[in-house]
Amino acid sequence: SVVAGGSGLHIRDTADGMLVRSATLVGGGLVDVENAEGSLTLAELVVGSGTQVRVQDLGVGGTLVGEISGGSSVSITTAGALNELAPDPGIDINATTSIVIAAELGVGNLDALELASSSVDILTGGGPIAVRNLWAGASVNVLRLVATSGAISYEQVGAANVSLSSLLTTGAATLVV
């Protein structure tokens, strides 16, 4: 368990995988999580408003997220798949301004990943996309949903207006708004 104040937090692992049980940053700034090998599990990452969260997982074991909440933006890049830690209806990733995900082997492969953000951008290399965006604001901008090898399932719950800029898949696409 890590609790930090000030302008930032950097968590880095160069060994064989990483588990972050609980990390909290009080105040704004940047939270930077880097994993070099194996898998990455983020059970709970709570940050102050205005905080940017950047997660880089180079391990092909994949990334599991229980809860990332409180920040303005979240960016996740993983060489594996991005999935929720435990299937549940609760929000897994919450960011007021934007959520950007690049996951080589898919997003929500095991169960749909629950998001909450006014802007969503998701790209996968060799897997599907299955997400529910629970943002309840006036509008949502979906910049990209790109699954170069796999189906796309996107469900929008709560927002009055949804704009979609780009959709690309080699499989089926299901959009519910």
Side-chain angles (χ1 to χ4, degrees):
S1 186
V2 176
V3 178
S7 63
L9 176 63
H10 185 86
I11 303 169
R12 183 171 185 221
D13 179 49
T14 58
D16 190 24
M18 178 169 45
L19 166 64
V20 177
R21 291 186 198 277
S22 178
T24 303
L25 175 66
V26 180
L30 172 67
V31 173
D32 196 13
V33 180
E34 294 179 72
N35 181 51
E37 295 182 30
S39 62
L40 170 63
T41 300
L42 295 169
E44 180 182 46
L45 182 56
V46 179
V47 299
S49 64
T51 302
Q52 298 175 339
V53 176
R54 182 176 58 204
V55 177
Q56 296 176 314
D57 182 10
L58 302 176
V60 294
T63 305
L64 297 174
V65 173
E67 175 188 12
I68 298 175
S69 65
S72 63
S73 66
V74 174
S75 172
I76 299 175
T77 303
T78 179
L82 175 64
N83 287 293
E84 61 182 338
L85 181 59
D88 62 28
I91 296 170
D92 303 304
I93 304 171
N94 187 354
T96 56
T97 305
S98 67
I99 295 174
V100 177
I101 298 170
E104 186 59 34
L105 300 178
V107 175
N109 300 35
L110 307 174
D111 193 46
L113 193 67
E114 289 85 21
L115 313 174
S117 185
S118 62
S119 179
V120 176
D121 187 355
I122 302 173
L123 169 67
T124 69
I129 296 172
V131 296
R132 295 179 68 224
N133 189 359
L134 305 173
W135 181 255
S139 63
V140 170
N141 184 17
V142 180
L143 298 173
R144 288 183 302 178
L145 294 175
V146 176
T148 56
S149 176
I152 296 174
S153 173
Y154 178 89
E155 180 181 359
Q156 180 62 52
V157 179
N161 298 304
V162 178
S163 67
L164 173 63
S165 299
S166 180
L167 173 72
L168 173 65
T169 182
T170 57
T174 304
L175 305 174
V176 178
V177 291

mmCIF file of all heavy atoms in Angstrom, residues 114-167:
data_model
loop_
_atom_site.group_PDB
_atom_site.id
_atom_site.type_symbol
_atom_site.label_atom_id
_atom_site.label_comp_id
_atom_site.label_asym_id
_atom_site.label_seq_id
_atom_site.Cartn_x
_atom_site.Cartn_y
_atom_site.Cartn_z
ATOM 1 N N GLU A 114 -15.476 -1.965 -17.654
ATOM 2 C CA GLU A 114 -16.344 -0.812 -17.411
ATOM 3 C C GLU A 114 -15.491 0.448 -17.274
ATOM 4 O O GLU A 114 -14.572 0.494 -16.461
ATOM 5 C CB GLU A 114 -17.196 -1.003 -16.142
ATOM 6 C CG GLU A 114 -18.293 -2.031 -16.290
ATOM 7 C CD GLU A 114 -17.836 -3.457 -16.038
ATOM 8 O OE1 GLU A 114 -16.801 -3.661 -15.369
ATOM 9 O OE2 GLU A 114 -18.508 -4.382 -16.529
ATOM 10 N N LEU A 115 -15.832 1.448 -18.091
ATOM 11 C CA LEU A 115 -15.142 2.725 -18.107
ATOM 12 C C LEU A 115 -16.106 3.826 -17.722
ATOM 13 O O LEU A 115 -17.321 3.652 -17.784
ATOM 14 C CB LEU A 115 -14.612 3.035 -19.514
ATOM 15 C CG LEU A 115 -13.860 1.947 -20.266
ATOM 16 C CD1 LEU A 115 -13.558 2.417 -21.683
ATOM 17 C CD2 LEU A 115 -12.589 1.587 -19.542
ATOM 18 N N ALA A 116 -15.565 4.992 -17.391
ATOM 19 C CA ALA A 116 -16.373 6.206 -17.228
ATOM 20 C C ALA A 116 -15.501 7.376 -17.640
ATOM 21 O O ALA A 116 -14.564 7.739 -16.933
ATOM 22 C CB ALA A 116 -16.858 6.363 -15.793
ATOM 23 N N SER A 117 -15.777 7.945 -18.832
ATOM 24 C CA SER A 117 -15.023 9.092 -19.319
ATOM 25 C C SER A 117 -15.784 9.775 -20.440
ATOM 26 O O SER A 117 -16.562 9.143 -21.158
ATOM 27 C CB SER A 117 -13.647 8.668 -19.829
ATOM 28 O OG SER A 117 -12.896 9.817 -20.200
ATOM 29 N N SER A 118 -15.503 11.068 -20.608
ATOM 30 C CA SER A 118 -16.140 11.829 -21.678
ATOM 31 C C SER A 118 -15.452 11.619 -23.021
ATOM 32 O O SER A 118 -15.985 11.985 -24.061
ATOM 33 C CB SER A 118 -16.146 13.323 -21.326
ATOM 34 O OG SER A 118 -14.814 13.795 -21.211
ATOM 35 N N SER A 119 -14.270 10.982 -23.021
ATOM 36 C CA SER A 119 -13.550 10.706 -24.263
ATOM 37 C C SER A 119 -12.875 9.339 -24.157
ATOM 38 O O SER A 119 -12.190 9.054 -23.177
ATOM 39 C CB SER A 119 -12.496 11.788 -24.517
ATOM 40 O OG SER A 119 -11.777 11.499 -25.703
ATOM 41 N N VAL A 120 -13.075 8.508 -25.185
ATOM 42 C CA VAL A 120 -12.542 7.143 -25.187
ATOM 43 C C VAL A 120 -11.825 6.899 -26.516
ATOM 44 O O VAL A 120 -12.338 7.242 -27.581
ATOM 45 C CB VAL A 120 -13.679 6.105 -25.011
ATOM 46 C CG1 VAL A 120 -13.147 4.689 -25.099
ATOM 47 C CG2 VAL A 120 -14.403 6.321 -23.696
ATOM 48 N N ASP A 121 -10.639 6.288 -26.449
ATOM 49 C CA ASP A 121 -9.839 5.959 -27.625
ATOM 50 C C ASP A 121 -9.213 4.595 -27.370
ATOM 51 O O ASP A 121 -8.393 4.447 -26.461
ATOM 52 C CB ASP A 121 -8.760 7.026 -27.818
ATOM 53 C CG ASP A 121 -7.972 6.869 -29.107
ATOM 54 O OD1 ASP A 121 -8.167 5.880 -29.838
ATOM 55 O OD2 ASP A 121 -7.141 7.756 -29.377
ATOM 56 N N ILE A 122 -9.615 3.565 -28.151
ATOM 57 C CA ILE A 122 -9.140 2.197 -27.890
ATOM 58 C C ILE A 122 -8.625 1.557 -29.174
ATOM 59 O O ILE A 122 -9.312 1.547 -30.204
ATOM 60 C CB ILE A 122 -10.266 1.318 -27.295
ATOM 61 C CG1 ILE A 122 -10.797 1.928 -25.999
ATOM 62 C CG2 ILE A 122 -9.748 -0.101 -27.044
ATOM 63 C CD1 ILE A 122 -12.012 1.226 -25.441
ATOM 64 N N LEU A 123 -7.430 0.975 -29.077
ATOM 65 C CA LEU A 123 -6.789 0.320 -30.206
ATOM 66 C C LEU A 123 -6.248 -1.027 -29.735
ATOM 67 O O LEU A 123 -5.587 -1.096 -28.702
ATOM 68 C CB LEU A 123 -5.632 1.198 -30.713
ATOM 69 C CG LEU A 123 -4.670 0.594 -31.726
ATOM 70 C CD1 LEU A 123 -5.389 0.347 -33.049
ATOM 71 C CD2 LEU A 123 -3.472 1.512 -31.927
ATOM 72 N N THR A 124 -6.538 -2.090 -30.488
ATOM 73 C CA THR A 124 -5.952 -3.404 -30.193
ATOM 74 C C THR A 124 -5.271 -3.941 -31.443
ATOM 75 O O THR A 124 -5.644 -3.606 -32.558
ATOM 76 C CB THR A 124 -7.004 -4.434 -29.720
ATOM 77 O OG1 THR A 124 -7.867 -4.764 -30.805
ATOM 78 C CG2 THR A 124 -7.798 -3.919 -28.540
ATOM 79 N N GLY A 125 -4.266 -4.783 -31.229
ATOM 80 C CA GLY A 125 -3.547 -5.369 -32.348
ATOM 81 C C GLY A 125 -4.112 -6.721 -32.748
ATOM 82 O O GLY A 125 -4.408 -6.955 -33.909
ATOM 83 N N GLY A 126 -4.279 -7.630 -31.795
ATOM 84 C CA GLY A 126 -4.689 -8.973 -32.138
ATOM 85 C C GLY A 126 -5.778 -9.521 -31.248
ATOM 86 O O GLY A 126 -5.771 -10.684 -30.895
ATOM 87 N N GLY A 127 -6.724 -8.701 -30.852
ATOM 88 C CA GLY A 127 -7.782 -9.183 -29.972
ATOM 89 C C GLY A 127 -9.008 -8.294 -30.042
ATOM 90 O O GLY A 127 -9.011 -7.259 -30.705
ATOM 91 N N PRO A 128 -10.049 -8.687 -29.342
ATOM 92 C CA PRO A 128 -11.317 -7.963 -29.392
ATOM 93 C C PRO A 128 -11.348 -6.744 -28.468
ATOM 94 O O PRO A 128 -10.428 -6.522 -27.677
ATOM 95 C CB PRO A 128 -12.310 -9.014 -28.886
ATOM 96 C CG PRO A 128 -11.501 -9.797 -27.895
ATOM 97 C CD PRO A 128 -10.118 -9.868 -28.490
ATOM 98 N N ILE A 129 -12.426 -5.972 -28.581
ATOM 99 C CA ILE A 129 -12.720 -4.878 -27.665
ATOM 100 C C ILE A 129 -14.111 -5.132 -27.103
ATOM 101 O O ILE A 129 -15.070 -5.285 -27.867
ATOM 102 C CB ILE A 129 -12.717 -3.508 -28.370
ATOM 103 C CG1 ILE A 129 -11.323 -3.177 -28.903
ATOM 104 C CG2 ILE A 129 -13.220 -2.405 -27.426
ATOM 105 C CD1 ILE A 129 -11.281 -1.925 -29.769
ATOM 106 N N ALA A 130 -14.229 -5.180 -25.780
ATOM 107 C CA ALA A 130 -15.539 -5.296 -25.112
ATOM 108 C C ALA A 130 -15.540 -4.326 -23.936
ATOM 109 O O ALA A 130 -14.881 -4.574 -22.922
ATOM 110 C CB ALA A 130 -15.789 -6.729 -24.642
ATOM 111 N N VAL A 131 -16.246 -3.197 -24.088
ATOM 112 C CA VAL A 131 -16.280 -2.176 -23.042
ATOM 113 C C VAL A 131 -17.692 -1.624 -22.872
ATOM 114 O O VAL A 131 -18.500 -1.631 -23.806
ATOM 115 C CB VAL A 131 -15.304 -1.008 -23.319
ATOM 116 C CG1 VAL A 131 -13.873 -1.461 -23.324
ATOM 117 C CG2 VAL A 131 -15.648 -0.286 -24.593
ATOM 118 N N ARG A 132 -17.946 -1.141 -21.641
ATOM 119 C CA ARG A 132 -19.164 -0.391 -21.313
ATOM 120 C C ARG A 132 -18.693 0.939 -20.756
ATOM 121 O O ARG A 132 -17.909 0.967 -19.822
ATOM 122 C CB ARG A 132 -19.988 -1.111 -20.250
ATOM 123 C CG ARG A 132 -20.540 -2.445 -20.696
ATOM 124 C CD ARG A 132 -21.328 -3.129 -19.585
ATOM 125 N NE ARG A 132 -22.555 -2.353 -19.339
ATOM 126 C CZ ARG A 132 -23.012 -2.061 -18.125
ATOM 127 N NH1 ARG A 132 -22.364 -2.441 -17.045
ATOM 128 N NH2 ARG A 132 -24.119 -1.378 -17.980
ATOM 129 N N ASN A 133 -19.170 2.041 -21.335
ATOM 130 C CA ASN A 133 -18.812 3.364 -20.827
ATOM 131 C C ASN A 133 -19.995 3.881 -20.029
ATOM 132 O O ASN A 133 -21.075 4.094 -20.562
ATOM 133 C CB ASN A 133 -18.460 4.325 -21.959
ATOM 134 C CG ASN A 133 -17.876 5.627 -21.443
ATOM 135 O OD1 ASN A 133 -17.750 5.840 -20.242
ATOM 136 N ND2 ASN A 133 -17.517 6.501 -22.365
ATOM 137 N N LEU A 134 -19.787 4.080 -18.739
ATOM 138 C CA LEU A 134 -20.854 4.491 -17.829
ATOM 139 C C LEU A 134 -20.823 5.995 -17.553
ATOM 140 O O LEU A 134 -21.375 6.453 -16.557
ATOM 141 C CB LEU A 134 -20.742 3.704 -16.520
ATOM 142 C CG LEU A 134 -20.743 2.184 -16.685
ATOM 143 C CD1 LEU A 134 -20.451 1.486 -15.373
ATOM 144 C CD2 LEU A 134 -22.057 1.700 -17.256
ATOM 145 N N TRP A 135 -20.210 6.775 -18.432
ATOM 146 C CA TRP A 135 -20.131 8.228 -18.260
ATOM 147 C C TRP A 135 -21.536 8.815 -18.329
ATOM 148 O O TRP A 135 -22.281 8.574 -19.270
ATOM 149 C CB TRP A 135 -19.262 8.832 -19.357
ATOM 150 C CG TRP A 135 -19.110 10.322 -19.249
ATOM 151 C CD1 TRP A 135 -19.717 11.251 -20.029
ATOM 152 C CD2 TRP A 135 -18.298 11.029 -18.321
ATOM 153 N NE1 TRP A 135 -19.329 12.503 -19.637
ATOM 154 C CE2 TRP A 135 -18.452 12.408 -18.590
ATOM 155 C CE3 TRP A 135 -17.455 10.646 -17.276
ATOM 156 C CZ2 TRP A 135 -17.803 13.395 -17.863
ATOM 157 C CZ3 TRP A 135 -16.813 11.622 -16.554
ATOM 158 C CH2 TRP A 135 -16.980 12.981 -16.851
ATOM 159 N N ALA A 136 -21.904 9.584 -17.324
ATOM 160 C CA ALA A 136 -23.258 10.141 -17.233
ATOM 161 C C ALA A 136 -23.315 11.615 -17.615
ATOM 162 O O ALA A 136 -24.332 12.272 -17.413
ATOM 163 C CB ALA A 136 -23.802 9.953 -15.826
ATOM 164 N N GLY A 137 -22.243 12.169 -18.170
ATOM 165 C CA GLY A 137 -22.232 13.565 -18.591
ATOM 166 C C GLY A 137 -23.091 13.784 -19.822
ATOM 167 O O GLY A 137 -23.732 12.862 -20.346
ATOM 168 N N ALA A 138 -23.095 15.010 -20.308
ATOM 169 C CA ALA A 138 -23.948 15.377 -21.433
ATOM 170 C C ALA A 138 -23.538 14.702 -22.738
ATOM 171 O O ALA A 138 -24.389 14.366 -23.563
ATOM 172 C CB ALA A 138 -23.946 16.890 -21.616
ATOM 173 N N SER A 139 -22.228 14.490 -22.930
ATOM 174 C CA SER A 139 -21.791 13.899 -24.195
ATOM 175 C C SER A 139 -20.528 13.064 -24.015
ATOM 176 O O SER A 139 -19.777 13.241 -23.063
ATOM 177 C CB SER A 139 -21.550 14.990 -25.237
ATOM 178 O OG SER A 139 -20.510 15.835 -24.823
ATOM 179 N N VAL A 140 -20.324 12.169 -24.991
ATOM 180 C CA VAL A 140 -19.136 11.316 -25.031
ATOM 181 C C VAL A 140 -18.574 11.360 -26.443
ATOM 182 O O VAL A 140 -19.319 11.269 -27.420
ATOM 183 C CB VAL A 140 -19.474 9.847 -24.659
ATOM 184 C CG1 VAL A 140 -18.298 8.932 -24.951
ATOM 185 C CG2 VAL A 140 -19.874 9.741 -23.207
ATOM 186 N N ASN A 141 -17.249 11.498 -26.541
ATOM 187 C CA ASN A 141 -16.571 11.465 -27.818
ATOM 188 C C ASN A 141 -15.750 10.173 -27.880
ATOM 189 O O ASN A 141 -14.812 10.002 -27.119
ATOM 190 C CB ASN A 141 -15.661 12.687 -27.972
ATOM 191 C CG ASN A 141 -15.012 12.749 -29.333
ATOM 192 O OD1 ASN A 141 -15.440 12.085 -30.269
ATOM 193 N ND2 ASN A 141 -13.965 13.544 -29.439
ATOM 194 N N VAL A 142 -16.135 9.267 -28.768
ATOM 195 C CA VAL A 142 -15.380 8.030 -28.985
ATOM 196 C C VAL A 142 -14.477 8.295 -30.190
ATOM 197 O O VAL A 142 -14.961 8.360 -31.322
ATOM 198 C CB VAL A 142 -16.307 6.824 -29.230
ATOM 199 C CG1 VAL A 142 -15.472 5.572 -29.452
ATOM 200 C CG2 VAL A 142 -17.272 6.637 -28.068
ATOM 201 N N LEU A 143 -13.191 8.492 -29.925
ATOM 202 C CA LEU A 143 -12.264 8.844 -30.995
ATOM 203 C C LEU A 143 -12.008 7.672 -31.923
ATOM 204 O O LEU A 143 -12.109 7.794 -33.135
ATOM 205 C CB LEU A 143 -10.952 9.356 -30.413
ATOM 206 C CG LEU A 143 -11.073 10.620 -29.566
ATOM 207 C CD1 LEU A 143 -9.756 10.944 -28.895
ATOM 208 C CD2 LEU A 143 -11.562 11.777 -30.406
ATOM 209 N N ARG A 144 -11.644 6.520 -31.337
ATOM 210 C CA ARG A 144 -11.383 5.321 -32.138
ATOM 211 C C ARG A 144 -11.798 4.079 -31.379
ATOM 212 O O ARG A 144 -11.599 3.979 -30.178
ATOM 213 C CB ARG A 144 -9.894 5.159 -32.447
ATOM 214 C CG ARG A 144 -9.312 6.100 -33.423
ATOM 215 C CD ARG A 144 -7.861 5.777 -33.692
ATOM 216 N NE ARG A 144 -7.070 5.822 -32.459
ATOM 217 C CZ ARG A 144 -5.785 5.542 -32.387
ATOM 218 N NH1 ARG A 144 -5.131 5.165 -33.443
ATOM 219 N NH2 ARG A 144 -5.146 5.615 -31.240
ATOM 220 N N LEU A 145 -12.351 3.142 -32.108
ATOM 221 C CA LEU A 145 -12.510 1.758 -31.664
ATOM 222 C C LEU A 145 -11.908 0.934 -32.795
ATOM 223 O O LEU A 145 -12.525 0.760 -33.843
ATOM 224 C CB LEU A 145 -13.981 1.392 -31.456
ATOM 225 C CG LEU A 145 -14.721 2.111 -30.335
ATOM 226 C CD1 LEU A 145 -16.205 1.727 -30.344
ATOM 227 C CD2 LEU A 145 -14.110 1.788 -28.976
ATOM 228 N N VAL A 146 -10.678 0.460 -32.596
ATOM 229 C CA VAL A 146 -9.968 -0.262 -33.649
ATOM 230 C C VAL A 146 -9.525 -1.610 -33.104
ATOM 231 O O VAL A 146 -8.727 -1.678 -32.163
ATOM 232 C CB VAL A 146 -8.741 0.541 -34.157
ATOM 233 C CG1 VAL A 146 -7.972 -0.274 -35.190
ATOM 234 C CG2 VAL A 146 -9.174 1.880 -34.737
ATOM 235 N N ALA A 147 -10.053 -2.671 -33.692
ATOM 236 C CA ALA A 147 -9.644 -4.041 -33.371
ATOM 237 C C ALA A 147 -9.197 -4.672 -34.685
ATOM 238 O O ALA A 147 -10.033 -5.104 -35.484
ATOM 239 C CB ALA A 147 -10.787 -4.826 -32.749
ATOM 240 N N THR A 148 -7.882 -4.689 -34.918
ATOM 241 C CA THR A 148 -7.391 -5.168 -36.214
ATOM 242 C C THR A 148 -7.608 -6.666 -36.402
ATOM 243 O O THR A 148 -7.565 -7.151 -37.523
ATOM 244 C CB THR A 148 -5.897 -4.831 -36.389
ATOM 245 O OG1 THR A 148 -5.172 -5.384 -35.303
ATOM 246 C CG2 THR A 148 -5.691 -3.323 -36.444
ATOM 247 N N SER A 149 -7.860 -7.385 -35.325
ATOM 248 C CA SER A 149 -8.163 -8.807 -35.426
ATOM 249 C C SER A 149 -9.081 -9.179 -34.271
ATOM 250 O O SER A 149 -8.633 -9.579 -33.205
ATOM 251 C CB SER A 149 -6.867 -9.625 -35.350
ATOM 252 O OG SER A 149 -7.166 -11.005 -35.361
ATOM 253 N N GLY A 150 -10.383 -9.006 -34.462
ATOM 254 C CA GLY A 150 -11.329 -9.319 -33.406
ATOM 255 C C GLY A 150 -12.563 -8.450 -33.486
ATOM 256 O O GLY A 150 -12.604 -7.451 -34.199
ATOM 257 N N ALA A 151 -13.567 -8.826 -32.733
ATOM 258 C CA ALA A 151 -14.852 -8.123 -32.735
ATOM 259 C C ALA A 151 -14.812 -6.923 -31.787
ATOM 260 O O ALA A 151 -13.957 -6.831 -30.911
ATOM 261 C CB ALA A 151 -15.958 -9.083 -32.312
ATOM 262 N N ILE A 152 -15.771 -6.021 -31.980
ATOM 263 C CA ILE A 152 -15.919 -4.855 -31.117
ATOM 264 C C ILE A 152 -17.314 -4.860 -30.513
ATOM 265 O O ILE A 152 -18.312 -4.997 -31.228
ATOM 266 C CB ILE A 152 -15.716 -3.537 -31.891
ATOM 267 C CG1 ILE A 152 -14.292 -3.435 -32.415
ATOM 268 C CG2 ILE A 152 -16.057 -2.333 -31.006
ATOM 269 C CD1 ILE A 152 -14.046 -2.232 -33.303
ATOM 270 N N SER A 153 -17.365 -4.703 -29.193
ATOM 271 C CA SER A 153 -18.633 -4.531 -28.486
ATOM 272 C C SER A 153 -18.478 -3.294 -27.595
ATOM 273 O O SER A 153 -17.679 -3.299 -26.661
ATOM 274 C CB SER A 153 -18.951 -5.762 -27.633
ATOM 275 O OG SER A 153 -20.101 -5.507 -26.845
ATOM 276 N N TYR A 154 -19.233 -2.240 -27.920
ATOM 277 C CA TYR A 154 -19.176 -0.990 -27.156
ATOM 278 C C TYR A 154 -20.590 -0.646 -26.725
ATOM 279 O O TYR A 154 -21.488 -0.556 -27.551
ATOM 280 C CB TYR A 154 -18.597 0.147 -28.003
ATOM 281 C CG TYR A 154 -18.556 1.471 -27.266
ATOM 282 C CD1 TYR A 154 -17.451 1.817 -26.503
ATOM 283 C CD2 TYR A 154 -19.623 2.361 -27.318
ATOM 284 C CE1 TYR A 154 -17.409 3.017 -25.812
ATOM 285 C CE2 TYR A 154 -19.585 3.568 -26.627
ATOM 286 C CZ TYR A 154 -18.479 3.891 -25.881
ATOM 287 O OH TYR A 154 -18.448 5.073 -25.192
ATOM 288 N N GLU A 155 -20.770 -0.444 -25.415
ATOM 289 C CA GLU A 155 -22.073 -0.048 -24.892
ATOM 290 C C GLU A 155 -21.914 1.269 -24.147
ATOM 291 O O GLU A 155 -21.053 1.413 -23.284
ATOM 292 C CB GLU A 155 -22.626 -1.104 -23.941
ATOM 293 C CG GLU A 155 -23.972 -0.733 -23.367
ATOM 294 C CD GLU A 155 -24.525 -1.764 -22.397
ATOM 295 O OE1 GLU A 155 -23.862 -2.805 -22.173
ATOM 296 O OE2 GLU A 155 -25.606 -1.528 -21.850
ATOM 297 N N GLN A 156 -22.742 2.247 -24.499
ATOM 298 C CA GLN A 156 -22.737 3.539 -23.825
ATOM 299 C C GLN A 156 -23.959 3.626 -22.925
ATOM 300 O O GLN A 156 -25.075 3.461 -23.386
ATOM 301 C CB GLN A 156 -22.766 4.682 -24.848
ATOM 302 C CG GLN A 156 -22.759 6.048 -24.217
ATOM 303 C CD GLN A 156 -21.506 6.301 -23.408
ATOM 304 O OE1 GLN A 156 -20.398 6.124 -23.891
ATOM 305 N NE2 GLN A 156 -21.665 6.702 -22.161
ATOM 306 N N VAL A 157 -23.738 3.881 -21.651
ATOM 307 C CA VAL A 157 -24.828 3.981 -20.686
ATOM 308 C C VAL A 157 -24.764 5.372 -20.063
ATOM 309 O O VAL A 157 -23.742 5.736 -19.482
ATOM 310 C CB VAL A 157 -24.693 2.912 -19.573
ATOM 311 C CG1 VAL A 157 -25.807 3.035 -18.558
ATOM 312 C CG2 VAL A 157 -24.654 1.523 -20.179
ATOM 313 N N GLY A 158 -25.823 6.162 -20.184
ATOM 314 C CA GLY A 158 -25.896 7.413 -19.441
ATOM 315 C C GLY A 158 -25.758 8.697 -20.215
ATOM 316 O O GLY A 158 -26.453 9.648 -19.926
ATOM 317 N N ALA A 159 -24.866 8.816 -21.182
ATOM 318 C CA ALA A 159 -24.654 10.093 -21.868
ATOM 319 C C ALA A 159 -25.767 10.360 -22.871
ATOM 320 O O ALA A 159 -26.299 9.450 -23.507
ATOM 321 C CB ALA A 159 -23.309 10.106 -22.569
ATOM 322 N N ALA A 160 -26.128 11.630 -23.006
ATOM 323 C CA ALA A 160 -27.199 12.022 -23.927
ATOM 324 C C ALA A 160 -26.742 11.985 -25.383
ATOM 325 O O ALA A 160 -27.485 11.567 -26.251
ATOM 326 C CB ALA A 160 -27.697 13.416 -23.570
ATOM 327 N N ASN A 161 -25.507 12.412 -25.660
ATOM 328 C CA ASN A 161 -24.988 12.474 -27.030
ATOM 329 C C ASN A 161 -23.680 11.704 -27.125
ATOM 330 O O ASN A 161 -22.792 11.872 -26.289
ATOM 331 C CB ASN A 161 -24.723 13.939 -27.429
ATOM 332 C CG ASN A 161 -25.982 14.763 -27.415
ATOM 333 O OD1 ASN A 161 -26.942 14.428 -28.083
ATOM 334 N ND2 ASN A 161 -25.976 15.827 -26.628
ATOM 335 N N VAL A 162 -23.551 10.898 -28.186
ATOM 336 C CA VAL A 162 -22.339 10.124 -28.414
ATOM 337 C C VAL A 162 -21.864 10.374 -29.836
ATOM 338 O O VAL A 162 -22.657 10.251 -30.781
ATOM 339 C CB VAL A 162 -22.579 8.611 -28.204
ATOM 340 C CG1 VAL A 162 -21.311 7.820 -28.497
ATOM 341 C CG2 VAL A 162 -23.076 8.325 -26.809
ATOM 342 N N SER A 163 -20.593 10.747 -30.001
ATOM 343 C CA SER A 163 -20.029 10.871 -31.345
ATOM 344 C C SER A 163 -18.927 9.826 -31.497
ATOM 345 O O SER A 163 -18.152 9.586 -30.577
ATOM 346 C CB SER A 163 -19.477 12.278 -31.580
ATOM 347 O OG SER A 163 -18.369 12.515 -30.753
ATOM 348 N N LEU A 164 -18.897 9.189 -32.667
ATOM 349 C CA LEU A 164 -17.904 8.158 -32.979
ATOM 350 C C LEU A 164 -17.121 8.617 -34.195
ATOM 351 O O LEU A 164 -17.702 8.837 -35.262
ATOM 352 C CB LEU A 164 -18.587 6.816 -33.256
ATOM 353 C CG LEU A 164 -17.713 5.674 -33.746
ATOM 354 C CD1 LEU A 164 -16.669 5.302 -32.702
ATOM 355 C CD2 LEU A 164 -18.570 4.467 -34.094
ATOM 356 N N SER A 165 -15.817 8.786 -34.040
ATOM 357 C CA SER A 165 -14.985 9.288 -35.133
ATOM 358 C C SER A 165 -14.461 8.181 -36.032
ATOM 359 O O SER A 165 -14.409 8.343 -37.240
ATOM 360 C CB SER A 165 -13.801 10.082 -34.565
ATOM 361 O OG SER A 165 -14.273 11.186 -33.834
ATOM 362 N N SER A 166 -14.062 7.024 -35.462
ATOM 363 C CA SER A 166 -13.461 5.973 -36.270
ATOM 364 C C SER A 166 -13.767 4.593 -35.690
ATOM 365 O O SER A 166 -13.595 4.369 -34.496
ATOM 366 C CB SER A 166 -11.942 6.185 -36.332
ATOM 367 O OG SER A 166 -11.328 5.179 -37.104
ATOM 368 N N LEU A 167 -14.183 3.685 -36.570
ATOM 369 C CA LEU A 167 -14.473 2.299 -36.187
ATOM 370 C C LEU A 167 -13.857 1.390 -37.234
ATOM 371 O O LEU A 167 -14.112 1.549 -38.426
ATOM 372 C CB LEU A 167 -15.985 2.067 -36.114
ATOM 373 C CG LEU A 167 -16.448 0.629 -35.882
ATOM 374 C CD1 LEU A 167 -16.142 0.208 -34.455
ATOM 375 C CD2 LEU A 167 -17.926 0.498 -36.169
#
